[in-house]
Structure formats: C-alpha cells, structure tokens
Amino acid sequence: MTRLSNDSMPKSEALPVFDDLLSMQAQCAKWQSQGLRLALVPTMGALHEGHLSLVRLASQKADRVLVSIFVNPKQFAKGEDLGTYPRQLAKDKEKLSALTCHGIYAPDANAMYGEDFSTSIHVGIVSEGLCGASRPHFFGGVATVVAKLLNQLRPDMAVFGEKDFQQLLVIRRMVKDLDMGVEIIGGPIIREPDGLAMSSRNAYLNTSEREIAPQLNHILRAMAEKLRQGETIAATVETGQRKLIAAGFDKIDYLELRSEKNLAPLEDPLDATKSAEARLFGAVLLGKTRLIDNWKITD
Ligand code: PAF
C-alpha cells in the first residue's frame, strides 16, 4: 500500500493507492469519523475523459473521492476480453492525480474473491433484455462486485456513467431492494468530438473501424429526430438497422426504444409522457469490438 500523505504534498505524490482492504477501510473510517462525505467512483481502469468527468462530479458532491480500479473477472464470460482488457494503473494514477481525488482502491482478484467465494447477486427485470440478453453473465457480475465495493467502503454516494445506462438502473434497483443506503448518481455520457461515446474498449478499434464507430451515435440521433417527427417506432428501428449495416457495422446486437425509468419497451403512439422518458439503446459489433450507446429522444 502507498502511504496516505497529507494534503499539502504535491498532488502526484499525495495520491495513495490502496491494494489491501484493511488499510482502505481504516482510511474510509477515518474520513467518516471526521464527518467527511465519501464518494466512490467504481471503474475497471484504463481511465478516459468519461471516467474523469465522473470523478469531477463526485468531487462536487462529496468531501472525499475514491476511485476503485478493478477488472472484475465475474462480469466477463469465457471468450470475452478479460485477458486483454487494458490495465494501466500508473497512467490512471497520473490522470487522477491532476483531479480532486483522495485515493485509489485497487484490490487484486484473489483478495476480492477468495477461493470459496460462492455468492452472486441477481437483479431481476431491469437486467433482462438489451445487454442482459447477449451477455447473460454480465449484470450478475457487476451487481456482485458493486455490492462488495459498497459494503467494503460504505461510501455516502457512488457515481456511474450513463453510457452503461442499463448497468446504472441495475445498480439503482439493487441498492433500493437491498436497503444499501447509498446514493447512486448518474453522470452524462462524454463523447469524442465526432460523437463516439468514450469507452475503454474504443482502444481496440483499428483506423477504419474508428471512422465507422461514430455512426452509431449519428444513427441514434437521426432515429430520435424521426420519432420526434411522428414516425412509428417499427419504421424508425428498421431504418436505423439498415443504416447501421450500410455504415459498416458487422452485427447489430440490439436497437430498441425503451423507457429510461425501468427499461420497459415502448409502443406507439408516443405521446408527450412516453416521449419524455423514451431512450434509444443500441449495441453493435465492429470487428471484434462491441460498442454500446444510448440517446434520449427529447435531447
Ligand atoms: O462500468 C464499469 O466499469 C464496471 O462495470 C464496474 C461498474 C466498475 C463494475 O466492475
């Protein structure tokens, strides 16, 4: 563990990395005994501007900000990119050192999941469909690790990005259902100038894939416009699917209009109430890279 230094030290030296739970918990307990409100930003590292925006949001709302960096094996299925997922703690630390961040919690997988670890959390309904249909292991793995992080560190609040909108709803549901007593805050999607939603997995895209990738967002925006003009959901989705394939995406995992409140599918006619909660969700494969994005139709 890197020792916690006092606030007067230069930021890059002052940012401590905790790799063991006991010293992390001792630090959290100290902050809490001083009446300082703690925000946790859970991540898998390979931090980009999207993550950093969540850290900034956290620092506006809390006195102390912790970022967890843990590539969670439980949310990867066999054959997915657990082995190749970018791991760059030194770079991540440098980025966080420039922000108001008071610690990094970076446990290793053996410490997180002991040999006999046998528990998994299943969150119903909101985890079904969309990413839950094509990655059935995913939300159980996310809910389990997030529950562990929240129980371990007992933050007052935790911040998650809206790019993984379904994940945000799954976590909100779990926290409510299990009376976990932590405020869950959603942070807006941060995009590249061409519209591509920032993601650690964008690093996998080759040059020609990177040129195609922003079309996912452009097509969602065009679909939202059509829906606002009164086109039916079925016609809008069909046109969107055709455009995605024409743009060069290899496979469409899903392209759907759902309620952002509970992810219930929406049906025509889209009156003002339904439109206000309607969000388009898309997931595509580009080469081996899976990209997701979402767009609120009243944006
Ligand atoms: O969104 C992520 O990076 C991960 O799913 C999370 C929430 C850190 C859990 O591993």
Side-chain angles (χ1 to χ4, degrees):
M1 187 210 66
T2 313
R3 192 176 56 83
L4 178 73
S5 315
N6 71 40
D7 286 347
S8 61
M9 289 188 72
K11 280 199 155 188
S12 56
E13 281 175 44
L15 181 61
V17 179
F18 298 86
D19 53 19
D20 75 294
L21 178 58
L22 286 182
S23 52
M24 183 73 269
Q25 284 178 320
Q27 181 57 63
C28 293
K30 192 168 164 198
W31 286 330
Q32 279 153 347
S33 72
Q34 293 166 343
L36 299 171
R37 282 173 62 75
L38 174 62
L40 173 67
V41 183
T43 80
M44 298 205 300
L47 303 181
H48 50 67
E49 204 37 55
H51 297 111
L52 303 186
S53 73
L54 302 180
V55 176
R56 288 188 196 101
L57 183 59
S59 67
Q60 284 161 19
K61 295 184 178 280
D63 306 301
R64 289 292 179 268
V65 177
L66 266 184
V67 174
S68 62
I69 296 183
F70 179 64
V71 181
N72 173 32
K74 294 216 177 287
Q75 66 191 75
F76 291 78
K78 254 195 177 156
E80 289 189 343
D81 55 343
L82 174 63
T84 53
Y85 197 86
R87 289 159 173 88
Q88 44 186 56
L89 183 59
K91 265 195 195 166
D92 290 344
K93 184 179 173 189
E94 205 179 303
K95 290 178 184 171
L96 292 172
S97 294
L99 305 182
T100 302
C101 175
H102 303 89
I104 297 174
Y105 176 46
D108 79 26
N110 293 330
M112 198 60 150
Y113 300 115
E115 228 178 80
D116 301 329
F117 190 87
S118 323
T119 301
S120 76
I121 297 190
H122 172 74
V123 180
I125 305 184
V126 281
S127 69
E128 285 151 22
L130 303 179
C131 290
S134 50
R135 304 184 72 200
H137 58 284
F138 179 68
F139 289 118
V142 168
T144 303
V145 79
V146 172
K148 274 187 72 84
L149 290 167
L150 297 179
N151 284 339
Q152 288 176 339
L153 310 178
R154 309 274 166 168
D156 297 285
M157 63 197 85
V159 187
F160 297 85
E162 287 187 349
K163 180 177 148 284
D164 297 290
F165 202 89
Q166 189 175 14
Q167 168 175 281
L168 175 63
L169 293 196
V170 166
I171 291 163
R172 281 195 203 287
R173 186 75 260 163
M174 171 183 78
V175 161
K176 188 153 195 247
D177 288 354
L178 298 183
D179 308 306
M180 294 175 84
V182 51
E183 185 187 355
I184 300 300
I185 297 166
I189 301 177
I190 304 297
R191 299 180 181 280
E192 301 288 355
D194 61 11
L196 177 64
M198 289 197 186
S199 162
S200 306
R201 289 190 169 101
N202 291 351
Y204 299 155
L205 299 170
N206 66 29
T207 312
S208 59
E209 289 167 347
R210 178 61 189 80
E211 275 170 25
I212 295 169
Q215 288 301 320
L216 173 58
N217 178 247
H218 300 179
I219 291 166
L220 289 180
R221 286 182 198 218
M223 290 172 70
E225 177 61 27
K226 286 287 176 202
L227 290 167
R228 285 196 297 269
Q229 289 167 1
E231 190 162 293
T232 64
I233 299 170
T236 306
V237 169
E238 204 190 304
T239 309
Q241 286 169 333
R242 259 193 294 106
K243 283 185 174 175
L244 284 170
I245 295 304
F249 292 101
D250 295 294
K251 192 178 162 213
I252 301 168
D253 185 358
Y254 57 78
L255 186 63
E256 293 188 36
L257 184 72
R258 297 217 178 190
S259 159
E260 66 176 10
K261 287 192 177 155
N262 54 13
L263 294 187
L266 292 173
E267 283 168 15
D268 294 310
L270 278 181
D271 58 22
T273 318
K274 280 198 228 164
S275 290
E277 67 186 61
R279 201 176 267 265
L280 285 158
F281 293 87
V284 289
L285 269 182
L286 187 51
K288 288 192 171 144
T289 309
R290 187 169 182 277
L291 299 175
I292 63 172
D293 199 355
N294 63 80
W295 192 261
K296 196 167 162 55
I297 77 161
T298 51
D299 272 352

